Amino acid sequence: MIDKPLLASVMLLLTLSLVMSYSLSTYTVVHFNYMDFHFFIRQMMAIFIGFVTMVLLSKMDPDKWFSRVGMLLFVIFFMLMIVMQFLPSSLVNAVGGAKRWIRVGPMSIAPVEFFKVGFIFFLAWSFSRKLLDKTKMGFWEEVRAFTPYLFVFLVAVVIIAVFQKDLGQVVVLGVTLTILFLFIGSSWKFFLTLISGGFAAFIGLILFAPHRMARIKSWWGTVQDSILSVLPFESVQNLRIETGKEPYQISNSLNAIHNGGLWGEGLGNGQFKLGYLSEVHTDFILAGITEELGFLGLVLVTLTMLFIVFRIFKIASKVKNPMYYLFSIGIGLLISLAFILNSYGISGITPIKGIAVPFLSYGGSHIWASCIAIGMVLMISKKVPRDAQGRIR
């Protein structure tokens, strides 16, 4: 029996995504002269395909199909991310010189969304075969054991952060990889060394990319007063920079959230979606939801997301197969990290990363990939021991 509460909570967010893709795309529809239901129909098709895929995966026998599906995701989309950099512009969609989408007929597919799920499978599959049964290793033994995984991740970093200019996805994958290392029993010395190296690499990717430096400076200009005012040291005041105009996206996002109040302006009545806040149905959907459905609407969305992550972690804690355990932990981390990074970005706590909100943001690739991930977790959930009422023990 699959985990029905997990399936129901995911469908709740997908339904809200469908409603908000119609409500929040008003200005874009008018500006580009699309038909009224342009985004609604496209999102409905993505959700339908995702739902069917999720249900089909949930009905499969995990002992027979789980590894096959996971390995196909990893190999196919890893190769596609490499190959797409050499494809002509007629076959790929590029933004700012970064090739992120492959055209497939009337659709465009972002391989990185599917690769994330495949990468989590690869880690779970390989860790469970090679590392979980090992006795306690010394530091240099750990370095040798984990180097192949770090190499694969480094290749992904080059493709995603350098060629696709998408540092946010690298952050999500990097944090997930690091935490999974801890779950399989790596030493704190190796764990802290990995964090230090990852942080240094993260800083390097920012320093050598002018567009990222500009984004960091723009963000720092908005938060420096509140941070530096609580620090008593005179020397830190040298970190103050000349403030320019507050980034309009952050400013309008915060205004939209404030405008929603407790109860919201009402579904369809938001003002900041009317040209003030671009991409409000994609990266800034939480701001759009808060303006129209209020703080209570945002709380409901957050609680539903937390419930989804809780159910995934509960499945992980009860399943006996270590590969299923690690995969479920990884998927729970992917979902929670993406939600946190997006939430922090739209509220100005951190720079904007361009991370989609799982199950909510408009976009076929991330909806389909998210449904595949949940379908694989539902497949796993059939292996969890249950009581007479069908509840997880």
Side-chain angles (χ1 to χ4, degrees), residues 334-354:
L334 277 185
I335 293 172
S336 54
L337 288 170
F339 184 74
I340 290 170
L341 284 177
N342 183 281
S343 303
Y344 282 13
I346 68 164
S347 57
I349 297 174
T350 62
I352 300 172
K353 293 290 192 301

Side-chain angles (χ1 to χ4, degrees), residues 227-301:
I227 293 177
L228 296 179
S229 62
V230 300
L231 297 177
F233 310 107
E234 187 65 30
S235 58
V236 300
Q237 301 306 316
N238 295 327
L239 297 175
R240 191 177 298 277
I241 63 174
E242 183 178 348
T243 57
K245 186 177 180 181
E246 185 177 19
Y248 79 96
Q249 286 285 69
I250 293 298
S251 175
N252 286 333
S253 175
L254 292 173
N255 287 333
I257 293 171
H258 181 266
N259 194 47
L262 183 62
W263 302 103
E265 293 290 297
L267 186 63
N269 294 328
Q271 300 299 311
F272 284 87
K273 65 184 181 184
L274 303 177
Y276 299 101
L277 191 57
S278 61
E279 301 181 2
V280 66
H281 56 300
T282 56
D283 296 344
F284 285 85
I285 192 168
L286 289 179
I289 288 174
T290 306
E291 184 183 17
E292 297 199 350
L293 303 182
F295 179 73
L296 292 180
L298 179 63
V299 168
L300 178 61
V301 167

